[in-house]
Amino acid sequence: MLDIPSRVRVHVETLLAAQNDMGVCDAFEQYAPVGRPGAMNAPHPPKVAGIDSTVPAPAHTVAPPPAAPDTSPSSPSGPHARPAGALLQDRLAGWVSDLTTLNELTERLARTNGLDAALKELLRAGAALVGARRGLAVLEPDDGLGPDTTIGLGLARADLGHIETVPRSAMPYGTLLDTAAGLPGGDGEDVRPDLFAEDGLDPRHREVAGRLGYAACYALPLSTEAAGRLGAAVWFYDEPAEPAERRRHLAGLYLRFATEHLARLLDTERTRACMATVYEELLPSRLPRVPGVQLASRHRTGPRGGGDWYDALPLPDAALGLAVGSVTGAGPGAIAAMGRLRASLRAYAVMEGEDPVAVLSDLELLLRLTEPARSATALFAYCEPALRRITMAGAGHCPPLVLGERRTEFVETSVSAPLGMLACWEAPSVEFQVSSGETVLLYTDGLLHRTGESVDRAFARLHTAAASVPRALRHDPAAVADHVLHTVLPNGLDVTDGAEDVALLAARFE
């Protein structure tokens, strides 16, 4: 029995399971040459992305030269020939090293959760596998539904601009995207080992290659039978070169996995964009202009799409209705329920807006009869700009915040249950005055939840953010809303795809 080290034995089952996937029928004859292991089949993994953060220097060789015959005493033909078991262990260790490298790289790619991040990781890993320093990935799904994007590795924005001036058909990614070569079952690669030696090289391509300092390139399609053709990736060499057959095989295996991962991310991105579009269409397309009041709004949609909403509508007698609310749940059902609730509140506000309690009572009855399994919070304010008087009622919603030159305080509202939680909802309304130049801030609880803190600390953070609005910005409700949003949710917590929806409505009274 061969004395195979434990670090090799532990992967034997993995090797056997992956043998068919790698397309290798004889691992010892087809995958590794006989003799001393080369750079890609050494017992220890090479420095590649996922194992070492440093990308190796390009391997500028068309093919490894044949090994010179070994006439030393340790040569297999000499008196002290290496045993066959040692050669087997070397070859098997090289194969284990390559599979371990692929495992590390695919695990790193699987941890990405966005298209841009996945494409950047793909370029870094691919550059290490094919021995290049720079690269370019073009995402262009063949179904025409997008999104289309271009990501570079080691290329500045200006460099990408220069490359885009080259006729598409002259670039390797254009060949793969516009011909059958990039389709599943096509040629599957575009190898140009010495660009400046090509007789038919496009003059503009020659000029750009000289400007950017690359002399060779290697391109692979991002396509599989299941995902179709999503795009292509190309890596650039500083000198005439091309990756050896073994490196090309590993890169092809990696890109097969990468394409499937990109297809999943693409479906998620399209769903998210569709949900965001529906959400946008159900919110006010523009805010009304009412004498005596300036309005501004901000909203952020979670990845699944939720039920937070806001509204502002002119009412009879030069009045103004302001509303914010939140429907339980997420996804298409919550968005649809939000749209129905907002439309109903607008109708009730037009008929009986001067009585906010009646508006919310009717809304609660509608919700209980039509969607008994769902609850919602809401706040409706009836504003009289000429008198700077506001009458307001809330159903389980956060109290509004008033900020001005002399005060920054929450409006005292009565504690009430959300809509749909009780057999019959009713709560008293609150009436208060605002001074000239003061801003009333209405918001949903997503603004508090995104902070990740307790409710008390989140309210304190909101109060501090409102009090810290610079004096020069207080005349502009949009600037006030932006300052509050970015102060309460710093370090990217206010991005569109945060976990919670956020709706913010600011009304400044003149």
Side-chain angles (χ1 to χ4, degrees), residues 229-282:
R229 181 168 54 190
L230 302 184
V234 55
W235 292 273
F236 302 105
Y237 296 92
D238 298 339
E239 304 171 12
E242 70 174 287
E245 181 64 29
R246 188 170 190 176
R247 287 177 174 252
R248 288 154 70 170
H249 184 64
L250 290 174
L253 290 174
Y254 176 76
L255 258 68
R256 279 167 49 193
F257 173 85
T259 302
E260 296 294 341
H261 181 64
L262 287 172
R264 291 189 290 270
L265 293 178
L266 185 63
D267 287 341
T268 302
E269 186 71 20
R270 287 174 173 176
T271 301
R272 183 179 301 179
C274 181
M275 298 289 291
T277 301
V278 173
Y279 184 80
E280 292 282 347
E281 291 297 324
L282 289 175

Side-chain angles (χ1 to χ4, degrees), residues 426-499:
E426 187 169 345
S429 61
V430 175
E431 184 178 301
F432 62 97
Q433 294 282 145
V434 293
S435 302
S436 176
E438 289 188 330
T439 299
V440 178
L441 197 65
L442 284 70
Y443 53 93
T444 60
D445 55 5
L447 181 66
L448 306 177
H449 292 162
R450 280 203 188 193
T451 64
E453 299 179 338
S454 64
V455 175
D456 290 342
R457 292 181 63 86
F459 273 119
R461 179 189 286 270
L462 174 58
H463 185 277
T464 302
S468 66
V469 175
R471 186 181 300 271
L473 301 180
R474 297 198 173 197
H475 69 282
D476 184 1
V480 171
D482 286 333
H483 178 87
V484 169
L485 186 63
H486 298 319
T487 305
V488 175
L489 302 175
N491 303 321
L493 291 175
D494 62 329
V495 295
T496 301
D497 58 353

Side-chain angles (χ1 to χ4, degrees), residues 118-159:
L119 288 171
K120 290 177 181 177
E121 177 60 31
L122 179 151
L123 285 174
R124 283 192 293 264
L129 288 174
V130 303
R133 186 171 63 88
R134 292 177 290 177
L136 177 71
V138 178
L139 184 68
E140 192 175 297
D142 59 1
D143 58 10
L145 300 178
D148 297 346
T149 187
T150 301
I151 299 292
L153 171 68
L155 297 170
R157 186 182 297 273
D159 299 334

Side-chain angles (χ1 to χ4, degrees), residues 131-223:
R133 186 171 63 88
R134 292 177 290 177
L136 177 71
V138 178
L139 184 68
E140 192 175 297
D142 59 1
D143 58 10
L145 300 178
D148 297 346
T149 187
T150 301
I151 299 292
L153 171 68
L155 297 170
R157 186 182 297 273
D159 299 334
L160 295 176
H162 287 306
I163 292 175
E164 288 177 354
T165 64
V166 179
R168 182 183 175 96
S169 60
M171 292 300 294
Y173 64 80
T175 301
L176 295 176
L177 290 175
D178 298 335
T179 67
L183 292 172
D187 295 340
E189 63 179 6
D190 189 303
V191 187
R192 304 191 184 184
D194 191 348
L195 285 172
F196 297 106
E198 295 182 10
D199 294 335
L201 183 64
D202 183 87
R204 180 55 183 166
H205 193 186
R206 183 184 299 274
E207 179 184 349
V208 170
R211 180 191 294 267
L212 301 184
Y214 66 85
C217 54
Y218 176 65
L220 287 172
L222 299 173
S223 65

Side-chain angles (χ1 to χ4, degrees), residues 19 53 60 100 112 125 135 142 174 176 244 309 320 362 366-368 388 395 449 451:
Q19 193 169 354
S53 59
H60 300 306
T100 302
T112 59
D142 59 1
L176 295 176
W309 54 277
L320 172 69
D362 291 342
L366 176 71
L367 183 70
R368 182 156 45 89
R388 292 195 292 273
H449 292 162
T451 64

